[in-house]
Amino acid sequence: MNRTPAPTDTAATASTDTAAADASGGSRWEEPGGSHWEELVTAALLGTARRTPSGIPAGREAPTALLDAAAVETVRRRAGMRPGRSAARVEPAAADPRPLLPPAAARRLAMLLADRPGTGGGGGGRRGSAPDLMELLPQWLATANRRGFAPRPEALPALLDAARGRTDLRPAVLTFAGPRALWLARLNADWRFALRSTPGGGAALPGPEEPDRIRELWEEGLFAERVALLSGIRARDATAARELLATTWATERAEDRLMFLDSLRTGLHAADEPFLERALADRSRNVRATAAELLSALPGSALAGRMAERAQSCVAVDHTQGTPTIAVEAPHECDPGMERDGVVPKAPAGRGERSWWLGQLVEAAPLGTWSRRLGGRTPEEIVALPVADDWQGELHAAWCRAAVRQRDPSWSRALLGVPAAPEAGGPGAVSLAERAKLLGTLGAAERADWVAGFIAVHGLSEAFQLLGVCTVPWSGPLGRAVVDALNIARDAGSYPWSFSGVMGLAERCLDPSEAPHLETLTAIPDEPENAAPGAGSYWAESFQRLVTTLRLRAAMQRELEEE
């Protein structure tokens, strides 16, 4: 739009327009945000030759009149806005009784939060030797929560922003941030996730001394509130939680029944059996399957007995051959009783029906069944027996699932085998995922020793998933096994980025006291002839970052231990 010079002063024209508007009864004085301003903006964008606003004559003077009208409208919008109604005074945030973070720890938190994506602190591409601070935030939060500290108020916005961007941080952030964070979340729509993630939107759940409030929340609360209420009661009184669930069970939706039933995993015991037995007749297949799974985790339940009887009829020791051998005769049908007890009749694509049914029966049978059935043998002796007709994989995989479900360490040890065994999987661990699950049933020290032995023999190529189930910080033997394997890979000239996942785990999980022992690995090594170009400098950077991160974690620990 080309502006034609105005013959009169703009201010004078604006005054004339204002007076004209007053004389006409204020027809151009709409409420702020009305349509006249939008009409002027549209005309300015399109040009007065294509669109002339109301009240402005068309022709050569239209551009000047448009700008004059816009000037008047701008002044009116700035100075003529009517005051809004006063809002109710915001209630102050609830008090947080926890002690505030020590000053050094508060500064460290600000540093960790400043490094999150989108704040300019982090960068992509080659990581270099600088620690990844955002990856240390979960560990920092866990320690701060364990120590019972509260954040300083000025840190709350950054904490909520970090939790908004990373859902995995939310539980720890909301625990640490406390009631003031929920107060802020009610004032900022960007942080409303905190209200959704906290039972009752931050309101305290009723205690056992408030039966009327419990009943009211259970019958009238939102689904998330009801789940939180049931889980909280279950944690302190398993019987009371089950009885509360029974009061509305018949009227709940199928998907809600499934979620509520899952809460019974906490504190599962024999007194839950009658309720779970009734759930076997539920109209929802998923509810029936969950009830059956829970009953099978109770070795003394009637369902476990029924499944044991069925499984034993399929598996026996054949003494007719020179070596005792396990013989398997899989079910020929899935009868209504099996289906009621949680056996899914339809096999997945590519899976035979009979092997599918057999696996479900063996998985649900108490593991103590097999010593009695197979001649009093121990789990190690049973697993070592040959299995006829290629049924070994199916049978051992089902025993793996049973050991995980029933949390049976003796069977887990037998199925894992020794870590130095061929393929290091033992006779029953058919995948890394199965091995990791079996390891999860062992104590922390035994778990770490097994994985350390695995790495010492087989290296790191398959160790990442197994390391993920080990307690942090890693034990001394496990940490040394990881570092030794990384050093061997470096000396072999391997690509360091092939081990970036393990190196990242080491930064978060290796005991910080190991930092002085790693100093020699920060030097650039001599590269063998077949080494990847530049691999030595990458390895040096990686070990430097590892040492720096371990020292940073040690400093974080000290800061959070201050009084």
Side-chain angles (χ1 to χ4, degrees), residues 410-425:
S410 60
W411 271 88
S412 293
R413 294 186 195 101
L415 292 161
L416 279 166
V418 296
E423 299 182 3

Side-chain angles (χ1 to χ4, degrees), residues 13-220:
T13 306
S15 299
T16 302
D17 285 354
T18 303
D22 288 337
S24 63
S27 60
R28 292 178 57 192
W29 291 79
E30 298 97 347
E31 290 291 328
S35 62
H36 188 57
W37 175 256
E38 285 75 12
E39 185 182 12
L40 293 175
V41 171
T42 301
L45 291 172
L46 297 177
T48 54
R50 297 176 61 187
R51 176 75 62 84
T52 303
S54 59
I56 293 179
R60 289 173 55 85
E61 300 301 322
T64 301
L66 172 63
L67 292 178
D68 290 341
V72 172
E73 185 70 8
T74 298
V75 173
R76 183 192 70 80
R77 285 164 62 87
R78 290 178 179 174
M81 185 176 294
R82 295 177 181 176
R85 292 182 178 275
S86 61
R89 186 182 183 90
V90 177
E91 292 293 328
D96 192 335
R98 299 172 297 173
L100 285 176
L101 275 176
R107 290 191 294 272
R108 182 71 64 190
L109 174 61
M111 181 191 305
L112 296 177
L113 291 171
D115 198 60
R116 71 181 189 276
T119 61
R126 184 166 173 169
R127 292 180 61 194
S129 59
D132 189 341
L133 299 184
M134 194 59 180
E135 287 305 311
L136 296 180
L137 183 57
Q139 194 170 107
W140 188 97
L141 287 167
T143 306
N145 285 333
R146 194 164 55 247
R147 296 279 296 164
F149 286 122
R152 294 175 182 265
E154 60 270 21
L156 290 172
L159 276 167
L160 287 167
D161 282 341
R164 180 189 178 201
R166 277 183 58 175
T167 56
D168 62 304
L169 287 176
R170 290 181 183 178
V173 165
L174 295 178
T175 298
F176 175 62
R180 289 174 175 171
L182 299 175
W183 180 84
L184 281 176
R186 295 187 183 96
L187 304 176
N188 187 336
D190 289 344
W191 299 331
R192 291 294 172 86
F193 70 86
L195 303 178
R196 294 191 298 269
S197 303
T198 307
L205 292 173
E209 70 284 355
E210 302 174 283
D212 292 339
R213 279 195 63 206
I214 290 176
R215 178 69 59 182
E216 180 182 2
L217 184 58
W218 178 248
E219 294 179 351
E220 302 177 11

